[in-house]
């Protein structure tokens, strides 16, 4: 069962999203919040698997709430669902630790698919967001932060990771066992000095550590 917290300052949207998720098998809405402060309290109390986070919140922003959520509960993934689709907001959310970014105009099927992707350990960008993100960044990985280079296989894994693939998807794509992929990801994070998959994906697209 994937436990979800919904954070949005519009009650109608919160209720609508909660209603949608109530129809999804193996998904449980464990709470809702209208501000960053309420969200962080709920994260501490409920420890959800995923937080569906709006960017524009009264008081502290959704970006700051995302950053604090990943600090308070590292096992909790944040999926941003927002009307804001400018590049700076997308980069800020991902740098804060969000696993994905989809627009509120997305269909119910797209939101559900994004939720499942993030729940499985992947990252996801909604239609229109991914294209601009990739257009603004280099297509090839940059050199690791440490002098020891990635192996050819590690670069293959990193390329797929940067595209938002989960460990299971990477395993299927490369014909590897899940355990082998997990080991590769761990070594990649170590070599890139990345705290998590999101940071590794950002560095793979040429975003320097100083940006986050």
């Amino acid at each position: 069962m994937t436990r979800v917290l919904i954070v949005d300052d519009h009650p109608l949207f919160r209720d609508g999203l909660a209603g949608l998720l109530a129809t999804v098998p193996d998904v449980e809405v464990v709470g809702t919040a209208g501000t960053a402060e309420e969200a962080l309290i709920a994260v501490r109390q409920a420890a959800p698997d995923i937080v569906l986070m709006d960017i524009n919140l009264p008081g502290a922003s959704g970006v700051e709430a995302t950053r604090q959520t990943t600090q308070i509960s590292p096992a909790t993934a944040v999926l941003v669902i927002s009307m804001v689709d400018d590049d700076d907001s997308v980069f800020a959310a991902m740098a804060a630790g969000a696993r994905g970014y989809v627009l509120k105009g997305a269909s119910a099927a797209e939101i559900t698919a994004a939720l499942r992707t993030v729940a499985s350990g992947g990252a996801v960008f909604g239609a229109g967001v991914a294209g601009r993100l990739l257009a603004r960044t280099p297509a090839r990985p940059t050199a690791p932060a440490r002098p020891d280079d990635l192996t050819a296989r590690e670069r293959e894994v990193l390329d797929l990771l940067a595209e938002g693939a989960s460990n299971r998807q990477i395993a299927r794509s490369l014909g590897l066992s899940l355990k082998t992929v997990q080991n590769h990801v761990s070594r990649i994070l170590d070599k890139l000095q990345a705290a998590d998959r999101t940071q590794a994906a950002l560095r793979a697209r040429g975003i320097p550590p100083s940006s986050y």
Side-chain angles (χ1 to χ4, degrees):
M1 183 69 69
T2 300
R3 304 171 71 252
V4 178
L5 170 68
I6 300 172
V7 183
D8 195 284
D9 63 335
H10 291 90
L12 287 179
F13 184 81
R14 285 201 310 268
D15 293 345
L17 194 52
L20 166 65
L21 296 183
T23 68
V24 180
D26 300 325
V27 171
E28 177 188 4
V29 176
V30 296
T32 63
T35 67
E37 291 75 12
E38 292 175 357
L40 296 175
I41 291 172
V43 167
R44 290 186 178 95
Q45 293 178 341
D49 299 308
I50 297 177
V51 176
L52 299 182
M53 182 77 73
D54 190 15
I55 288 291
N56 286 336
L57 297 174
S61 71
V63 171
E64 181 58 29
T66 295
R67 182 177 295 106
Q68 293 192 42
T69 293
T70 59
Q71 294 171 350
I72 293 169
S73 180
T76 297
V78 177
L79 171 61
V80 172
I81 299 184
S82 177
M83 292 182 64
V84 179
D85 65 348
D86 64 275
D87 295 348
D88 288 341
S89 295
V90 176
F91 274 101
M94 300 307 292
R99 293 275 191 85
Y101 199 111
V102 296
L103 302 180
K104 285 185 176 179
S107 67
E110 289 172 331
I111 292 175
T112 301
L115 180 67
R116 294 200 178 282
T117 297
V118 171
S120 68
V124 63
F125 301 94
V129 173
R132 295 199 315 277
L133 185 70
L134 296 179
R136 186 169 152 175
T137 57
R140 299 299 302 171
T142 57
R146 291 184 178 180
D148 47 334
D149 291 335
L150 299 180
T151 66
R153 177 64 83 186
E154 287 167 351
R155 288 188 179 278
E156 290 178 328
V157 171
L158 180 59
D159 282 343
L160 291 171
L161 188 155
E163 292 172 6
S166 67
N167 286 353
R168 197 171 300 279
Q169 290 168 330
I170 294 172
R172 286 199 299 267
S173 179
L174 299 180
L176 303 173
S177 71
L178 182 59
K179 180 62 175 177
T180 297
V181 171
Q182 291 171 339
N183 289 339
H184 280 312
V185 171
S186 293
R187 286 194 292 269
I188 289 168
L189 296 183
D190 182 57
K191 289 182 177 183
L192 294 181
Q193 296 181 329
D196 52 33
R197 297 166 65 92
T198 300
Q199 284 193 8
L202 289 172
R203 295 187 191 189
R205 292 305 182 190
I207 305 173
S210 58
S211 297
Y212 49 93

